[in-house]
């Protein structure tokens, strides 16, 4: 059972809606980043960052340049959104409030997200680069992305009157293990997606031959590891969902949503393989992974809420958009 908690903080629906909007927009930017990777347009601005081919606004951009530039602009707007959340959280909530803390982490992680993106460009870990080191960059990028989505979703959750998760006790350890497994699964999936882009095949038989070839690139060899890891993590998530749904009737719909997302993600993963990873299937797979992660984080916050030693009276200021 979770530790006893004090009264819930006063919700701020307007701020919560804004936080959910920033989260949704950030997911859209993430998906556009996947398009940039899958179409090999990551070097559209050359080795320059934050400038594009040495210019603030390219005078004669190619299609590749426009695709990469669009990603940079939309990413910059996502950063502005995270910064606005942080500033507004400081105005609307007292020091120590969960929404304020989560928004602070959201800004920190949005900053590191931008720095990792800059590093990918500066160190040429984009487009057709097959260096194994690129896999570490991609895995780190995915890990930071998941933590960023967690911070943004918890910002909205706390603003709506919820608590941050505290993963202690038996259930907390299980939730933490599943969350860690999903993050590892996501990292391996990101590398596999990169391998599908760099080492495309014309037929399923050709792809299977690549998978068992001892001379294949590491990114290709992970194609067999990723689905096996997915089945293990998925089984753990399904068992956890069954346990939470059984012991916490109020969380049963949320728990079964986790189970449904995992089953859908597994089916889509096999479809991805069968269809030779078309772009639309990769994007759907990534979108489901992001949704699953957010739902799991929110389930952890509800199943193992922090007793929250720092709930304080909300600072009352004019609503969003008012003068």
């Amino acid at each position: 059972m979770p530790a006893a908690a004090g009264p819930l903080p006063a919700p701020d629906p307007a701020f919560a809606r804004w936080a959910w909007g920033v989260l949704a927009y950030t997911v859209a930017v993430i998906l556009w980043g996947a398009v940039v990777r899958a179409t090999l347009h990551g070097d559209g601005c050359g080795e320059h960052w934050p400038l594009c081919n040495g210019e603030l606004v390219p005078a004669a951009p190619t299609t590749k340049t426009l695709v990469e530039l669009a990603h940079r602009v939309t990413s910059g707007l996502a950063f502005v959104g995270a910064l606005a959340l942080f500033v507004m959280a400081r105005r609307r909530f007292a020091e120590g409030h969960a929404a304020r803390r989560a928004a602070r982490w959201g800004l920190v992680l949005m900053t590191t997200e931008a720095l990792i993106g800059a590093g990918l460009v500066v160190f040429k870990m984009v487009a057709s680069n097959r260096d194994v080191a690129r896999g570490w960059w991609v895995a780190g990028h995915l890990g930071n992305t998941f933590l960023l989505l967690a911070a943004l979703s918890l910002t909205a959750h706390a603003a709506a009157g919820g608590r941050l998760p505290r993963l202690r006790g038996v259930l907390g350890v299980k939730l933490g293990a599943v969350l860690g497994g999903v993050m590892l699964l996501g990292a391996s999936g990101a590398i596999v997606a990169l391998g599908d882009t760099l080492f495309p095949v014309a037929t399923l038989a050709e792809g299977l031959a690549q998978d068992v070839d001892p001379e294949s690139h590491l990114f290709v060899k992970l194609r067999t590891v990723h689905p096996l890891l997915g089945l293990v993590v998925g089984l753990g998530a399904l068992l956890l969902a069954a346990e939470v749904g059984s012991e916490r009737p109020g969380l049963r719909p949320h728990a079964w949503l986790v189970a449904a997302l995992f089953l859908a993600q597994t089916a889509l993963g096999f479809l991805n393989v069968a269809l030779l990873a078309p772009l639309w299937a990769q994007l759907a797979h990534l979108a489901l992974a992001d949704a699953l992660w957010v739902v799991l984080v929110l389930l952890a916050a509800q199943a193992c809420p922090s007793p929250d030693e720092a709930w304080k009276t909300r600072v009352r200021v004019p609503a969003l958009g008012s003068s």
Side-chain angles (χ1 to χ4, degrees):
M1 294 295 293
L8 289 172
D12 189 332
F15 182 88
R17 286 193 297 271
W18 175 261
W20 286 122
V22 172
L23 173 65
Y25 178 79
T26 301
V27 171
V29 173
I30 292 167
L31 294 178
W32 183 250
V35 172
V36 174
R37 184 266 308 157
T39 56
L40 302 178
H41 287 355
D43 59 347
C45 287
E47 302 169 26
H48 301 88
W49 192 94
L51 298 178
C52 186
N53 292 323
E55 302 175 290
L56 182 61
V57 179
T62 63
T63 299
K64 176 179 283 193
T65 299
L66 290 174
V67 170
E68 167 62 8
L69 184 60
H71 181 52
R72 293 192 184 189
V73 171
T74 54
S75 298
L77 292 176
F79 180 87
V80 172
L83 177 60
L85 272 184
F86 171 72
V87 172
M88 287 189 291
R90 287 180 61 85
R91 294 183 61 234
R92 303 178 77 87
F93 301 99
E95 181 63 37
H97 193 286
R100 189 167 174 171
R101 285 179 283 156
R104 182 186 306 130
W105 276 110
L107 179 59
V108 169
L109 290 162
M110 188 68 82
T111 302
T112 54
E113 187 85 343
L115 292 176
I116 293 173
L120 287 169
V121 172
V122 172
F123 294 105
K124 304 178 183 178
M125 297 294 172
V126 293
S128 300
N129 187 334
R130 298 182 176 184
D131 195 324
V132 171
R134 186 178 177 185
W136 292 105
W137 278 90
V138 167
H141 202 10
L142 186 283
N144 191 88
T145 295
F146 270 15
L147 293 176
L148 170 60
L149 295 180
L152 294 177
S153 58
L154 289 174
T155 300
H157 177 67
R163 303 183 187 280
L164 301 185
R166 189 179 188 184
L167 301 180
R168 295 187 179 183
V170 176
L171 180 59
V173 170
K174 291 178 181 179
L175 279 163
V178 170
L179 285 167
V182 171
M183 183 171 284
L184 180 61
L185 180 63
S188 67
I191 297 175
V192 168
L194 177 62
D196 289 337
T197 298
L198 297 178
F199 304 95
V201 294
T203 65
L204 182 59
E206 183 183 347
L208 294 175
Q210 277 189 350
D211 294 344
V212 299
D213 185 352
E215 300 300 320
S216 291
H217 194 281
L218 176 62
F219 298 166
V220 174
K221 292 178 180 178
L222 282 177
R223 286 178 186 163
T224 56
V225 175
H226 179 65
L228 294 176
L229 180 61
L231 291 175
V232 172
V233 175
L235 178 60
L238 290 175
L239 292 174
L240 179 65
E243 179 181 344
V244 172
S246 175
E247 297 182 0
R248 312 282 179 83
L251 295 180
R252 191 168 295 159
H254 197 139
W256 290 119
L257 177 59
V258 169
L261 285 172
F262 248 113
L263 292 174
Q265 184 74 320
T266 301
L268 187 55
F270 283 111
L271 182 63
N272 219 340
V273 173
L275 297 179
L276 306 180
L279 179 57
W280 69 264
Q282 291 188 45
L283 294 179
H285 203 37
L286 177 57
L288 266 183
D290 291 342
L292 173 62
W293 173 256
V294 169
V295 170
L296 265 174
V297 168
L298 296 177
L299 178 64
Q302 295 176 80
C304 295
S306 168
D308 216 335
E309 67 288 348
W311 291 124
K312 297 185 179 180
T313 304
R314 184 164 64 93
V315 177
R316 297 188 176 277
V317 297
L320 292 177
S322 63
S323 58

